[in-house]
Each structure stands twice: as C-alpha cells, then as structure tokens.
Amino acid sequence: MSPWRIALGLAAIGGLTALAFLPFFVNAYYLSLAMSLLQFTVLATAWGMFSGPTRYVSLATAAFFGVGAYTVAVLGEVLAWPLVLGIAAAIGGLMAAIVGLSTLRLSGVHFVIFTFGLAELVRQLVVWYEVNKTRVLGRYVFVDITQNDIYWQLLALAIVVFAIGWIIARSRLGFALRIIGEDETVAQHCGINVTIAKVALFTISATVMTLVGAIMSPRWTYIEPSIAFNAAISFQVVIMALLGGAHRLWGPILGAVPLTLLFEFLSARFPSTSTLVMGIVFLLIVYALPSGVAGLWDRVAARPLWRLTKKAEA
C-alpha cells in the first residue's frame, strides 16, 4: 500500500474520532448545526448513490424522510428504539420497492414529476388520516433519546452509507447502473436486468433516507405533516448533491457542507428570502457547474500541465 493511502486512512480515522467526541466540546447550538450537517450529508450521499449513476432526478426525499419521522411518532413510545428504527427502515424500503417497480420505467421529466407528486401524496394521506381518524393534526415525540444520541446515530449512519456506496461502486450492480446511466438500451442488450438494478439501488437509497427521518424525529419533540414532509428538503438535497457532484461518492458532501451553512445563515437572518436564494443557487449550479465541484476537479486533474506537475513532484 502506498504511503499516501496510509496517510489518508490515518487522517480519516483521526477525523472520525474527533467527530465522535465533538458533543463533549461544543454547546447546544453547534451540536445542532453538526446534526444538520450530518443529516444533509447522509441524505445527499444517499440521493447520489441512486441518481448519480442512473441520472434519474428524484424529488421523493421528503416522502421517505417523513415516513421515517412519523413511524417514530407513532411507535416511539410503545417499542424499543432499535425496533422502531428497524420498522421504519422496513416501511421505507417496502414503499420504495413498490414505487420503484411501478415508476422506474419512466424517465426524464416524467420521473421527476412523479417523485415530487409522491411526496405530496404521502403528506396528504397522513393529513387525511390524522384529521379523520385521530382528530389531531400532529404528534408529540416522547422517546428517551438525547441530542447526543441523535448526533452519534447520524454519524454512524454516515459511515455506513459511505461504506455501502464504496462497495456498490466496485460491484457488478454499480457497473450495471453506470451502463444504465449511459444508455438503457445498451444495458438491456448486455443482458442487464435494468428494472431490478434500478429498483435495488432506489430501495437502498430510500431506506437510508427513511432512517434519517426516524433518527431526526426526536429532535423536534412535536411534528406535523408540514414539518415531516417539507418539500424544501427534497430540493435542498438535490441542490447539494449537484453542487458537489453526484457522480462521485464523496461529491455530495462537498455540496452538503457549504450549502447547509448557507441555508442556516439565511434562515436565521433572512427567513423570507431563503427560498429565493435557494432557487438562485440552483440556477448557478446548473449553468456554471453542471458536473459539480467533483466534475471540475476531474477536468483540472486531466489537464496535461497538472499531470506534468504531479510527475515532477513524484
């Protein structure tokens, strides 16, 4: 193993250790900010796992996130926490499999519109059930989970997501999805079961998003459909993944960190204009960085002068 890989591995271990002990050294505000950073890092990375290789733009993040949050609200007081998370993941995965089998034959703008409509459909179904059956719109979340616990669970989920992404990228499934992203017709002629491959990765991605919603649910104490199924989450995740570069596993984190800080600043000081700024940022990314920061890095690294400099340094 080369020295730089060893150094990179040691740096990663050191960074994860520092992140693990972070709650002991920061106040409540910075811990809350760290949770937001981890939340959007996991969501954007999970989104990129599916949409990066397949080039399908999904706006269903809010649907799965909200399902996870509401599962905790309903079952959090009657079941053990690990079991609640397991049930939330199972519900999210089952819903994703059904949706995937039904809709992943669509592509382009049709798939985008359907996934956006899915989030709104699930929200309206929850509203209807709450209003007509429970007679109360919204639920309190009383579970024995502290803010530190939420942070550590998000950190553990982030590590798991990156590990899953690394394994998939080097597997036959990852190779098949890259071919599908280039041309589905070619993939079918190569003997790839296109539907199964897309549904499998869509289910994995959605399950992770559901777990994020479940883990974050105790943070609010009280949730209602407008909070759990907030459509802004879907758009924020897409913007973050595109800014960083969804085609790389580490790309979404390059967009999640700066944009989370930007949205935090705007929501605190300019709440009425944060949506406008989000739209402007999205337009700038599409026109100026269509491949994201990771794509820009790839282009710079491919230049002859850059390669010559690296050889000279070696």
Side-chain angles (χ1 to χ4, degrees):
M1 185 178 292
S2 60
W4 73 268
R5 288 184 179 272
I6 296 176
L8 185 62
L10 292 175
I13 294 173
L16 290 175
T17 303
L19 289 174
F21 285 96
L22 183 68
F24 298 114
F25 301 101
V26 297
N27 58 29
Y29 171 77
Y30 287 107
L31 180 60
S32 176
L33 181 60
M35 286 190 289
S36 295
L37 288 169
L38 283 175
Q39 170 192 335
F40 283 109
T41 294
V42 176
L43 288 175
T45 303
W47 186 91
M49 283 171 54
F50 169 74
S51 297
T54 62
R55 303 185 183 181
Y56 277 62
V57 177
S58 170
L59 293 178
T61 302
F64 299 110
F65 184 91
V67 165
Y70 255 87
T71 301
V72 172
V74 174
L75 301 177
E77 295 185 65
V78 296
L79 297 176
W81 181 246
L83 185 58
V84 173
L85 292 181
I87 293 174
I91 294 174
L94 178 62
M95 187 173 80
I98 294 172
V99 171
L101 288 170
S102 305
T103 65
L104 282 174
R105 299 179 187 276
L106 302 174
S107 61
V109 68
H110 301 90
F111 181 77
V112 176
I113 294 172
F114 181 88
T115 53
F116 179 73
L118 173 67
E120 184 62 19
L121 172 64
V122 175
R123 186 178 75 86
Q124 291 298 334
L125 287 174
V126 172
V127 170
W128 178 88
Y129 182 84
E130 295 284 66
V131 170
N132 292 279
K133 300 299 180 180
T134 65
R135 304 295 180 182
V136 177
L137 185 61
R139 293 175 180 266
Y140 287 96
V141 183
F142 294 125
V143 292
D144 189 20
I145 300 296
T146 66
Q147 299 296 295
N148 288 4
D149 295 331
I150 296 174
Y151 173 84
W152 284 321
Q153 289 170 23
L154 287 173
L155 180 61
L157 185 59
I159 295 171
V160 170
V161 168
F162 278 100
I164 292 174
W166 187 86
I167 293 171
I168 290 176
R170 287 156 178 78
S171 68
R172 295 181 62 183
L173 175 60
F175 180 69
L177 289 165
R178 287 192 292 273
I179 298 176
I180 292 170
E182 293 296 332
D183 193 318
E184 286 197 21
T185 304
V186 172
Q188 291 173 344
H189 289 174
C190 291
I192 296 173
N193 192 323
V194 173
T195 301
I196 295 300
K198 290 190 295 185
V199 170
L201 197 56
F202 185 69
T203 302
I204 294 171
S205 173
T207 301
V208 171
M209 294 174 180
T210 307
L211 281 173
V212 174
I215 292 171
M216 289 294 291
S217 185
R219 182 184 182 187
W220 294 306
T221 305
Y222 176 82
I223 63 170
E224 59 181 22
S226 62
I227 296 174
F229 298 94
N230 187 355
I233 293 177
S234 296
F235 289 100
Q236 286 176 325
V237 168
V238 172
I239 294 171
M240 291 171 181
L242 293 180
L243 174 60
H247 65 289
R248 294 282 190 178
L249 177 62
W250 47 268
I253 194 174
L254 300 179
V257 172
L259 288 184
T260 299
L261 297 176
L262 174 62
F263 294 148
E264 181 75 18
F265 173 81
L266 292 174
S267 61
R269 290 168 174 79
F270 309 100
S272 60
T273 60
S274 58
T275 305
L276 174 63
V277 174
M278 187 190 305
I280 294 173
V281 170
F282 181 75
L283 292 176
L284 291 175
I285 292 170
V286 171
Y287 283 101
L289 288 172
S291 300
V293 176
L296 178 62
W297 171 261
D298 291 339
R299 291 196 299 272
V300 171
R303 291 179 178 176
L305 180 61
W306 173 267
R307 293 198 300 266
L308 185 61
T309 304
K310 296 299 290 183
K311 288 181 180 179
E313 290 176 356

